[in-house]
Amino acid sequence: DCKMVAIEILPEYGYCVLVAVGSGFMLTWKALQVGKARKQHKVHYPKMYSEDNDHFNCVQRAHQNTLENYPVFLMTLLLGGLYNPVASAIGGTIWCVGRIAYAKGYYTGDPKKRTWGSFGYIGLFTMLYCTIRLSAKMLGWF
């Protein structure tokens, strides 16, 4: 006995697609900041980090940390958007703005200031909630 589940993609899902595209611009901006910091602090490829320049390392780390979290962001944005595209898109936007604030804090050279972007977790938890609700709906729990 096989039971099928149909997922309706609402027109508002386009907001999730726009946020996903916008997040690519945020990643590109961060990559450009690393490139500028490489030139400024003379950290040449292929070195990922500087052995003696913590300011460069803060810029590089802000970008690297975002890349480490990016798959979870995309997964929760795009799957959660199938449950509630508007809430997921708003959550995704909050996450992206939080990552920019995180980077701006880190770029000061004081790693403690990266917490400026902590509000981005509100967006992540929103997308995560929508993703969990999608799975529960598919499983017939709700």
Side-chain angles (χ1 to χ4, degrees):
D1 187 24
C2 184
K3 184 177 176 184
M4 298 288 289
V5 175
I7 296 176
E8 180 181 5
I9 299 177
L10 299 172
E12 292 83 5
Y13 191 77
Y15 293 125
C16 293
V17 175
L18 285 175
V19 171
V21 170
S23 71
F25 287 104
M26 179 265 299
L27 288 178
T28 301
W29 172 75
K30 285 187 173 189
L32 291 171
Q33 301 311 304
V34 173
K36 285 184 354 188
R38 278 189 181 283
K39 288 179 184 171
Q40 179 183 358
H41 300 293
K42 296 178 177 47
V43 179
H44 304 289
Y45 289 107
K47 290 194 182 228
M48 191 80 153
Y49 293 98
S50 172
E51 296 190 22
D52 59 358
N53 191 308
D54 284 343
H55 191 266
F56 170 79
N57 292 341
C58 287
V59 175
Q60 171 67 3
R61 191 70 201 120
H63 183 234
Q64 187 66 35
N65 182 268
T66 300
L67 292 173
E68 291 163 4
N69 287 279
Y70 197 61
V72 172
F73 159 74
L74 283 178
M75 187 248 333
T76 57
L77 171 68
L78 298 175
L79 289 177
L82 294 172
Y83 175 76
N84 188 326
V86 173
S88 288
I90 290 169
T93 301
I94 292 169
W95 185 84
C96 288
V97 173
R99 296 313 296 183
I100 292 167
Y102 169 88
K104 292 292 227 170
Y106 228 155
Y107 293 170
T108 66
D110 180 0
K112 292 178 184 168
K113 291 184 179 174
R114 72 189 190 280
T115 60
W116 291 356
S118 296
F119 66 88
Y121 283 105
I122 295 167
L124 179 62
F125 293 142
T126 299
M127 296 180 295
L128 184 59
Y129 171 79
C130 290
T131 303
I132 291 168
R133 286 300 305 257
L134 173 70
S135 64
K137 182 178 176 183
M138 292 174 71
L139 291 167
W141 295 351
F142 290 95

